[in-house]
Amino acid sequence: MSTSPKQRLSRRQFLQGSASAAALLGLGLKPSFGSLATGAAAQAEKITLSVLAADWGGDYNALLSRIGKTFTEANPNIEVSWDFPDDPHTKLLTLIAGKTPPDLAITYQPNTLARLGALMPLDDKLKAAGITRANYPAPEYDQAVYEGKLYALPGGSDYIVMVYSKDMYREAGLDPNKPPKTTDEFMANNLKILKKDASGNVTKLGYLPVKGHMLYWSYIFGGKWYDPATQKITANDPGNVAAFEWIGNYVAKIGYDQWQAYSAIPGVFEPGNPFSTGQLAHFFEGFWIYDPLDKHAPKVDYGMALLPTLKGTPEERANYSVGGWLFGIPAGAKYADAAWQFMKFAFIDNAAKMGVDTENEPAYRPAVADWQKGLRGKLGETNRMIPYLGLFSEMAENATKAWPAIPVSAYLANERDRAFEAVISGGKSAKDALDEMTKNAQAELDKALKK
């Protein structure tokens, strides 16, 4: 199953910054807020606030743009101009180096950008607004902290759960109301669902592993990728090795060629995908999947559940990981105070409405209850998603893991993907692939830290 456009272009993508980051070094940027005052004084002149976002695809870009229109309705003197490049990280660095930064920018690497002096600290603004770390999922908030200061505000969170076909569960003789709680149960269900024809071609598949899932599985298996105390890459941690071995053994049962064949067919955001046609039983996604499911799989009886863990205990839910997107104010922004005014409006004061209108779960925890209420009103109580909305809040309350916020996070993710391919293809053992990954990523990190 192909990765959705929304995921491929933004949410799950860890953008590479090390190559262009050197352009910022030595610029002498001094993060400080601009001269434009907030509140009533911000309305004194008519301005255009430039916002650098990420290309999530036309539909999702249009949804995000609604925030700006709503803000302008409340603040007529401030227009919001959006830019949706494929690689916002590189474009941001280029604009800052050219002394023409946007006023606000999406970031997936706030820690790295802060280290380079590319973002302004937000602590004083949050303090004045009465906002603290407790208002956000800790992993998402912490990735924006550098040397004790916060440099980006979480806008939306990605809480990923398991979606499963109750129809295929019934067909395989499984209880449709008992999704797997443990990894052993999950794998047993997958193998019971797996069907092949006389030629060995897979006709029914329980689960299609994709490279991005190894982030979830590694943490669920107790793994870790980086030790901040020693600044060492720990890709070959025993938990990671166990997770990769587990996936490798499963793909071996499917057949690597069959895995490749399934990976080439439409994904769940596209018509004719295998979940909609009864050929795939499980996939992982966020709440926004309700829209593609309503469009492309209107008759599928589906359920949702938290990701399975090793023992299925509530305590293990701390091993869930959370991602999301954040916005920061670049160093040298012309309208920095107006940018903060927009951030507060969109991602704090109106976070619930933002989440409903743009199909993003708000990162701001106090808004989650109103977000759920708004979504219920939008979808109607009969929508198949409604019974499962609480799962996303449960993820928010329990998840403590996030991909390392280090200068080579994108490189590390690419190496993880390369190790995944090597293991499932049978080219290398999990231990060998992750040993190589550790060596390569450590060398890159050492170089980055010396700059």
Side-chain angles (χ1 to χ4, degrees):
M1 187 189 309
S2 61
T3 305
S4 71
K6 190 176 189 183
Q7 287 185 304
R8 181 176 65 250
L9 296 176
S10 61
R11 294 185 167 191
R12 304 266 65 83
Q13 183 181 34
F14 297 92
L15 300 172
Q16 176 62 281
S18 59
S20 52
L24 281 176
L25 299 179
L27 288 181
L29 296 173
K30 295 182 179 180
S32 61
F33 280 87
S35 59
L36 185 64
T38 57
Q43 308 298 322
E45 62 173 307
K46 190 173 182 63
I47 66 171
T48 298
L49 195 70
S50 59
V51 181
L52 181 69
D55 187 359
W56 291 353
D59 291 343
Y60 290 107
N61 295 349
L63 290 175
L64 193 63
S65 297
R66 290 183 185 179
I67 307 175
K69 293 178 181 178
T70 304
F71 176 73
T72 299
E73 289 172 1
N75 302 271
N77 284 57
I78 306 178
E79 293 286 339
V80 179
S81 175
W82 294 87
D83 184 11
F84 298 100
D86 287 343
D87 186 349
H89 184 83
T90 298
K91 184 163 187 177
L92 174 61
L93 292 173
T94 301
L95 291 172
I96 291 177
K99 302 187 185 303
T100 58
D103 299 304
L104 193 62
I106 199 168
T107 173
Y108 301 88
Q109 295 185 7
N111 183 285
T112 297
L113 291 172
R115 174 174 168 267
L116 295 171
L119 296 176
M120 300 181 182
L122 303 175
D123 302 81
D124 291 345
K125 298 296 183 182
L126 261 69
K127 184 177 180 180
I131 307 301
T132 68
R133 179 176 181 268
N135 294 131
Y136 294 94
E140 195 171 356
Y141 183 96
D142 290 346
Q143 66 179 316
V145 174
Y146 176 68
E147 293 187 344
K149 293 185 178 182
L150 184 77
Y151 286 86
L153 187 72
S157 296
D158 294 347
Y159 301 117
I160 305 301
V161 301
M162 180 176 68
V163 185
Y164 70 100
S165 170
K166 291 185 176 183
D167 297 326
M168 291 186 69
Y169 264 50
R170 294 186 186 98
E171 184 181 339
L174 298 168
D175 188 335
N177 297 313
K178 289 186 177 180
K181 292 184 178 181
T182 71
T183 51
D184 285 346
E185 291 171 354
F186 177 65
M187 194 55 68
N189 287 1
N190 289 326
L191 296 178
K192 193 166 186 178
I193 292 167
L194 178 63
K195 301 294 181 185
K196 296 183 180 183
D197 62 19
S199 300
N201 297 313
V202 171
T203 58
K204 302 280 185 181
L205 186 64
Y207 164 61
L208 180 71
V210 299
K211 56 190 179 182
H213 290 176
M214 296 316 300
L215 171 62
Y216 313 134
W217 291 129
S218 63
Y219 287 131
I220 285 172
F221 273 76
K224 59 181 182 178
W225 294 96
Y226 176 69
D227 184 349
T230 61
Q231 295 186 319
K232 296 297 183 183
I233 302 296
T234 58
N236 54 1
D237 179 86
N240 296 343
V241 173
F244 275 71
E245 287 177 343
W246 182 71
I247 288 295
N249 290 336
Y250 172 60
V251 173
K253 291 181 173 65
I254 299 171
Y256 179 64
D257 61 330
Q258 293 301 300
W259 176 86
Q260 288 179 307
Y262 253 76
S263 298
I265 60 182
V268 292
F269 282 70
E270 303 167 77
N273 66 78
F275 188 80
S276 68
T277 59
Q279 297 170 286
L280 181 71
H282 303 100
F283 67 91
F284 301 162
E285 265 296 353
F287 89 93
W288 52 82
I289 195 62
Y290 76 81
D291 190 22
L293 286 173
D294 288 349
K295 289 177 180 176
H296 307 312
K299 296 182 180 180
V300 173
D301 184 12
Y302 71 77
M304 305 182 80
L306 295 174
L307 301 186
T309 58
L310 295 183
K311 298 179 181 178
T313 63
E315 294 77 15
E316 289 178 304
R317 293 171 188 168
N319 286 334
Y320 289 149
S321 56
V322 58
W325 46 272
L326 305 91
F327 271 92
I329 301 176
K334 184 177 181 181
Y335 299 119
D337 282 345
W340 167 252
Q341 186 180 350
F342 174 61
M343 291 171 73
K344 184 175 182 296
F345 176 93
F347 307 135
I348 297 175
D349 298 339
N350 296 280
K353 177 176 171 56
M354 179 279 298
V356 174
D357 289 350
T358 68
E359 297 185 12
N360 285 282
E361 182 164 353
Y364 185 55
R365 281 179 166 173
V368 171
D370 285 340
W371 165 76
Q372 290 188 358
K373 182 179 179 181
L375 198 61
R376 287 177 180 274
K378 178 181 179 179
L379 300 183
E381 291 295 331
T382 60
N383 189 279
R384 292 168 294 174
M385 171 69 70
I386 295 301
Y388 305 107
L389 286 181
L391 293 175
F392 303 100
S393 298
E394 197 166 350
M395 280 285 293
E397 293 167 1
N398 287 279
T400 66
K401 308 296 183 181
W403 191 244
I406 56 177
V408 295
S409 61
Y411 181 89
L412 189 65
N414 290 336
E415 285 292 293
R416 184 194 66 211
D417 295 345
R418 197 164 69 88
F420 170 80
E421 180 69 29
V423 171
I424 66 168
S425 66
K428 291 182 180 178
S429 69
K431 181 67 166 57
D432 288 345
L434 293 173
D435 279 344
E436 181 178 329
M437 175 183 174
T438 302
K439 180 181 178 181
N440 293 345
Q442 188 64 54
E444 287 296 308
L445 178 61
D446 290 344
K447 286 191 292 184
L449 293 176
K450 288 178 181 178
K451 290 182 179 179

